Amino acid sequence: MIQLQVMQCKTWRQLCLLTVLVLGSCTPQTKSANPLKLALSSQDPNIKRVMDHVEVHELQVRYTQIDRKNDSIFFTDLDFQVDENSYFYPASTVKFPIAVLSLEKLNQVDSLSRNTLFYVEGDTLETTFAEEISKIFAVSDNQAYNRLFEFMGQDYINRQLASKGITPMRIAHRLSTPNADEITTKPLIIYLNDSTTAPTEPIINTSAKALQMNGIKKGSGYYEDDMLQHEPFDFSLKNYYPIDAQHEVLKRTLFPEKYSEMERFDLSGEQHKFLLNAMHTLPKAIGYDPETYYDSYVKFFMYGDEEADIPPHIKIYNKVGYAYGTLTDCAYISDTKNHIEFLLTATILVNKDGIFNDDVYEYDDLGIPFLAALGREIYNYELKRKK
């Protein structure tokens, strides 16, 4: 009996040693915890009340740690429920790739630059490409997106993104305008000089095909022409821009050196600098009333639940979206004072009554407080993380 106990003890020590070699420890307590799961298990009430009913909020999150060594950059992606086959409405987040691609297309036309003056046929506003891109990031202007959409058309947009490996995604329509899914673009009237103009040719695009994926029909009803329709709202002909694609557009914009030339956006150094500056510039810096357009007006992570000024050493390069009860933020957050940087993309549905187009969504009570708290949890983790 004694000999058997000795043999069993020896075998246990061997198994434990093997575990040490494989896992680094015999005890699970010493294994590194997943920081994204830790953040989502926070007892912060703004996080807990979402996570207690996470199944109804269709939450998806990707957090990317960034480490630098010499001249190299390393990414570590951590996901929660990220699934390209589970649909969420991307809302204004689609403005990000459109802004980048419009700069890229300007490189292909010798007579155009981002400061070229133009207007869309039938529009009353004379503007420049630079002004429209700035408005997209500073206040998420819908018409700015639509003007750049007319410049390129959805076929060009989708083709360019696919050629860079940014898939799956699909841009199909304009935002907040009649005939949003009209397949023929309006001409742009370009000012060649102070007195001479020239129109661009209309672009005829292909009609969008219905998407087929999980969650493409949502809720129990929706309003159309002020009448309640008692059936799920169908998103199958809407824009589609999942977390994977959003995160890749952000990475290619912030860290082009990590990608091959074919995968990058074709921007000059000067264009790239302008784009990055536009992404983090606060509304007040380009003339918007700070009472209405406070610093966090379109910065949900960390600061979205307050109207205080964002500290100058923290810059948030991002694009948010909110519509049909869905809130999304895709951001690169940099703290130059504490040497912190990370990427964070998240989407959440807040539509308690299950009715779409009724303008009854829990953006301010539930969605934005959750995203702000999540951003703070990740930021506080990064403060302590060894780089």
Side-chain angles (χ1 to χ4, degrees), residues 363-382:
Y363 292 141
D364 295 327
D365 298 332
L366 192 62
I368 291 177
F370 170 81
L371 294 174
L374 176 62
R376 289 190 289 266
E377 289 286 338
I378 297 298
Y379 174 84
N380 289 331
Y381 174 80
E382 285 285 339

mmCIF file of all heavy atoms in Angstrom, residues 363-382:
data_model
loop_
_atom_site.group_PDB
_atom_site.id
_atom_site.type_symbol
_atom_site.label_atom_id
_atom_site.label_comp_id
_atom_site.label_asym_id
_atom_site.label_seq_id
_atom_site.Cartn_x
_atom_site.Cartn_y
_atom_site.Cartn_z
ATOM 1 N N TYR A 363 -30.449 55.148 -25.889
ATOM 2 C CA TYR A 363 -29.090 55.615 -26.176
ATOM 3 C C TYR A 363 -28.432 56.225 -24.939
ATOM 4 O O TYR A 363 -27.348 55.816 -24.523
ATOM 5 C CB TYR A 363 -29.105 56.672 -27.281
ATOM 6 C CG TYR A 363 -29.498 56.187 -28.660
ATOM 7 C CD1 TYR A 363 -30.288 56.985 -29.479
ATOM 8 C CD2 TYR A 363 -29.063 54.960 -29.149
ATOM 9 C CE1 TYR A 363 -30.646 56.568 -30.758
ATOM 10 C CE2 TYR A 363 -29.417 54.539 -30.419
ATOM 11 C CZ TYR A 363 -30.213 55.347 -31.221
ATOM 12 O OH TYR A 363 -30.561 54.934 -32.485
ATOM 13 N N ASP A 364 -29.094 57.231 -24.362
ATOM 14 C CA ASP A 364 -28.500 57.994 -23.260
ATOM 15 C C ASP A 364 -28.584 57.268 -21.929
ATOM 16 O O ASP A 364 -27.746 57.501 -21.043
ATOM 17 C CB ASP A 364 -29.182 59.360 -23.136
ATOM 18 C CG ASP A 364 -28.944 60.231 -24.358
ATOM 19 O OD1 ASP A 364 -27.854 60.130 -24.966
ATOM 20 O OD2 ASP A 364 -29.846 61.019 -24.719
ATOM 21 N N ASP A 365 -29.580 56.412 -21.752
ATOM 22 C CA ASP A 365 -29.772 55.736 -20.469
ATOM 23 C C ASP A 365 -28.964 54.451 -20.341
ATOM 24 O O ASP A 365 -28.625 54.048 -19.218
ATOM 25 C CB ASP A 365 -31.258 55.401 -20.269
ATOM 26 C CG ASP A 365 -32.127 56.644 -20.216
ATOM 27 O OD1 ASP A 365 -31.615 57.702 -19.806
ATOM 28 O OD2 ASP A 365 -33.302 56.564 -20.602
ATOM 29 N N LEU A 366 -28.664 53.825 -21.467
ATOM 30 C CA LEU A 366 -28.061 52.493 -21.410
ATOM 31 C C LEU A 366 -26.857 52.343 -22.336
ATOM 32 O O LEU A 366 -25.769 51.955 -21.893
ATOM 33 C CB LEU A 366 -29.127 51.449 -21.770
ATOM 34 C CG LEU A 366 -28.802 49.980 -21.510
ATOM 35 C CD1 LEU A 366 -28.568 49.741 -20.028
ATOM 36 C CD2 LEU A 366 -29.951 49.093 -22.003
ATOM 37 N N GLY A 367 -27.034 52.662 -23.609
ATOM 38 C CA GLY A 367 -25.998 52.364 -24.590
ATOM 39 C C GLY A 367 -24.734 53.180 -24.439
ATOM 40 O O GLY A 367 -23.629 52.626 -24.338
ATOM 41 N N ILE A 368 -24.859 54.516 -24.433
ATOM 42 C CA ILE A 368 -23.669 55.360 -24.326
ATOM 43 C C ILE A 368 -22.985 55.198 -22.968
ATOM 44 O O ILE A 368 -21.752 55.104 -22.919
ATOM 45 C CB ILE A 368 -24.023 56.826 -24.639
ATOM 46 C CG1 ILE A 368 -24.368 56.968 -26.130
ATOM 47 C CG2 ILE A 368 -22.869 57.757 -24.276
ATOM 48 C CD1 ILE A 368 -24.803 58.356 -26.555
ATOM 49 N N PRO A 369 -23.732 55.144 -21.840
ATOM 50 C CA PRO A 369 -23.044 54.873 -20.566
ATOM 51 C C PRO A 369 -22.262 53.567 -20.573
ATOM 52 O O PRO A 369 -21.175 53.486 -19.983
ATOM 53 C CB PRO A 369 -24.194 54.831 -19.557
ATOM 54 C CG PRO A 369 -25.229 55.739 -20.146
ATOM 55 C CD PRO A 369 -25.152 55.491 -21.636
ATOM 56 N N PHE A 370 -22.793 52.533 -21.231
ATOM 57 C CA PHE A 370 -22.056 51.266 -21.324
ATOM 58 C C PHE A 370 -20.752 51.445 -22.091
ATOM 59 O O PHE A 370 -19.677 51.008 -21.640
ATOM 60 C CB PHE A 370 -22.905 50.200 -22.006
ATOM 61 C CG PHE A 370 -22.130 48.959 -22.356
ATOM 62 C CD1 PHE A 370 -21.870 47.977 -21.412
ATOM 63 C CD2 PHE A 370 -21.605 48.776 -23.635
ATOM 64 C CE1 PHE A 370 -21.119 46.845 -21.716
ATOM 65 C CE2 PHE A 370 -20.860 47.665 -23.965
ATOM 66 C CZ PHE A 370 -20.620 46.686 -22.992
ATOM 67 N N LEU A 371 -20.803 52.082 -23.263
ATOM 68 C CA LEU A 371 -19.607 52.251 -24.076
ATOM 69 C C LEU A 371 -18.576 53.127 -23.359
ATOM 70 O O LEU A 371 -17.369 52.856 -23.431
ATOM 71 C CB LEU A 371 -19.967 52.846 -25.432
ATOM 72 C CG LEU A 371 -20.822 51.962 -26.348
ATOM 73 C CD1 LEU A 371 -21.233 52.720 -27.606
ATOM 74 C CD2 LEU A 371 -20.090 50.678 -26.719
ATOM 75 N N ALA A 372 -19.033 54.164 -22.675
ATOM 76 C CA ALA A 372 -18.110 55.015 -21.922
ATOM 77 C C ALA A 372 -17.427 54.222 -20.818
ATOM 78 O O ALA A 372 -16.197 54.309 -20.633
ATOM 79 C CB ALA A 372 -18.870 56.206 -21.335
ATOM 80 N N ALA A 373 -18.203 53.440 -20.078
ATOM 81 C CA ALA A 373 -17.635 52.646 -18.986
ATOM 82 C C ALA A 373 -16.683 51.572 -19.510
ATOM 83 O O ALA A 373 -15.631 51.319 -18.916
ATOM 84 C CB ALA A 373 -18.762 52.000 -18.178
ATOM 85 N N LEU A 374 -17.042 50.951 -20.627
ATOM 86 C CA LEU A 374 -16.155 49.951 -21.229
ATOM 87 C C LEU A 374 -14.822 50.580 -21.619
ATOM 88 O O LEU A 374 -13.752 50.017 -21.361
ATOM 89 C CB LEU A 374 -16.823 49.322 -22.449
ATOM 90 C CG LEU A 374 -15.977 48.333 -23.247
ATOM 91 C CD1 LEU A 374 -15.572 47.126 -22.397
ATOM 92 C CD2 LEU A 374 -16.710 47.877 -24.508
ATOM 93 N N GLY A 375 -14.869 51.755 -22.244
ATOM 94 C CA GLY A 375 -13.643 52.451 -22.606
ATOM 95 C C GLY A 375 -12.775 52.747 -21.401
ATOM 96 O O GLY A 375 -11.547 52.588 -21.440
ATOM 97 N N ARG A 376 -13.396 53.154 -20.286
ATOM 98 C CA ARG A 376 -12.636 53.452 -19.068
ATOM 99 C C ARG A 376 -12.026 52.193 -18.475
ATOM 100 O O ARG A 376 -10.894 52.219 -17.970
ATOM 101 C CB ARG A 376 -13.536 54.155 -18.049
ATOM 102 C CG ARG A 376 -13.895 55.585 -18.447
ATOM 103 C CD ARG A 376 -14.568 56.327 -17.316
ATOM 104 N NE ARG A 376 -15.910 55.863 -17.035
ATOM 105 C CZ ARG A 376 -17.017 56.402 -17.537
ATOM 106 N NH1 ARG A 376 -16.942 57.418 -18.384
ATOM 107 N NH2 ARG A 376 -18.209 55.935 -17.194
ATOM 108 N N GLU A 377 -12.759 51.084 -18.509
ATOM 109 C CA GLU A 377 -12.225 49.820 -17.977
ATOM 110 C C GLU A 377 -10.977 49.393 -18.758
ATOM 111 O O GLU A 377 -9.970 49.003 -18.174
ATOM 112 C CB GLU A 377 -13.288 48.725 -18.048
ATOM 113 C CG GLU A 377 -14.426 48.883 -17.069
ATOM 114 C CD GLU A 377 -14.042 48.554 -15.636
ATOM 115 O OE1 GLU A 377 -13.055 47.824 -15.424
ATOM 116 O OE2 GLU A 377 -14.749 49.029 -14.718
ATOM 117 N N ILE A 378 -11.049 49.468 -20.077
ATOM 118 C CA ILE A 378 -9.898 49.077 -20.894
ATOM 119 C C ILE A 378 -8.746 50.050 -20.683
ATOM 120 O O ILE A 378 -7.582 49.649 -20.563
ATOM 121 C CB ILE A 378 -10.296 49.022 -22.388
ATOM 122 C CG1 ILE A 378 -11.363 47.950 -22.624
ATOM 123 C CG2 ILE A 378 -9.067 48.757 -23.257
ATOM 124 C CD1 ILE A 378 -10.940 46.534 -22.300
ATOM 125 N N TYR A 379 -9.046 51.345 -20.631
ATOM 126 C CA TYR A 379 -8.007 52.354 -20.396
ATOM 127 C C TYR A 379 -7.304 52.109 -19.061
ATOM 128 O O TYR A 379 -6.059 52.151 -18.979
ATOM 129 C CB TYR A 379 -8.624 53.749 -20.420
ATOM 130 C CG TYR A 379 -7.660 54.849 -20.047
ATOM 131 C CD1 TYR A 379 -6.802 55.407 -20.996
ATOM 132 C CD2 TYR A 379 -7.598 55.330 -18.745
ATOM 133 C CE1 TYR A 379 -5.910 56.408 -20.648
ATOM 134 C CE2 TYR A 379 -6.706 56.329 -18.388
ATOM 135 C CZ TYR A 379 -5.862 56.869 -19.338
ATOM 136 O OH TYR A 379 -4.974 57.854 -18.991
ATOM 137 N N ASN A 380 -8.066 51.845 -18.004
ATOM 138 C CA ASN A 380 -7.462 51.607 -16.683
ATOM 139 C C ASN A 380 -6.625 50.336 -16.670
ATOM 140 O O ASN A 380 -5.596 50.275 -15.986
ATOM 141 C CB ASN A 380 -8.548 51.546 -15.620
ATOM 142 C CG ASN A 380 -9.165 52.904 -15.347
ATOM 143 O OD1 ASN A 380 -8.499 53.944 -15.500
ATOM 144 N ND2 ASN A 380 -10.438 52.935 -14.967
ATOM 145 N N TYR A 381 -7.059 49.330 -17.440
ATOM 146 C CA TYR A 381 -6.231 48.132 -17.571
ATOM 147 C C TYR A 381 -4.913 48.470 -18.260
ATOM 148 O O TYR A 381 -3.838 48.019 -17.837
ATOM 149 C CB TYR A 381 -6.974 47.047 -18.333
ATOM 150 C CG TYR A 381 -6.132 45.838 -18.625
ATOM 151 C CD1 TYR A 381 -5.899 44.861 -17.670
ATOM 152 C CD2 TYR A 381 -5.499 45.695 -19.871
ATOM 153 C CE1 TYR A 381 -5.087 43.765 -17.926
ATOM 154 C CE2 TYR A 381 -4.682 44.608 -20.145
ATOM 155 C CZ TYR A 381 -4.481 43.642 -19.166
ATOM 156 O OH TYR A 381 -3.664 42.570 -19.420
ATOM 157 N N GLU A 382 -4.972 49.261 -19.323
ATOM 158 C CA GLU A 382 -3.774 49.644 -20.074
ATOM 159 C C GLU A 382 -2.813 50.463 -19.210
ATOM 160 O O GLU A 382 -1.597 50.398 -19.410
ATOM 161 C CB GLU A 382 -4.163 50.419 -21.316
ATOM 162 C CG GLU A 382 -4.743 49.584 -22.443
ATOM 163 C CD GLU A 382 -3.685 48.778 -23.189
ATOM 164 O OE1 GLU A 382 -2.514 49.142 -23.115
ATOM 165 O OE2 GLU A 382 -4.056 47.775 -23.829
#
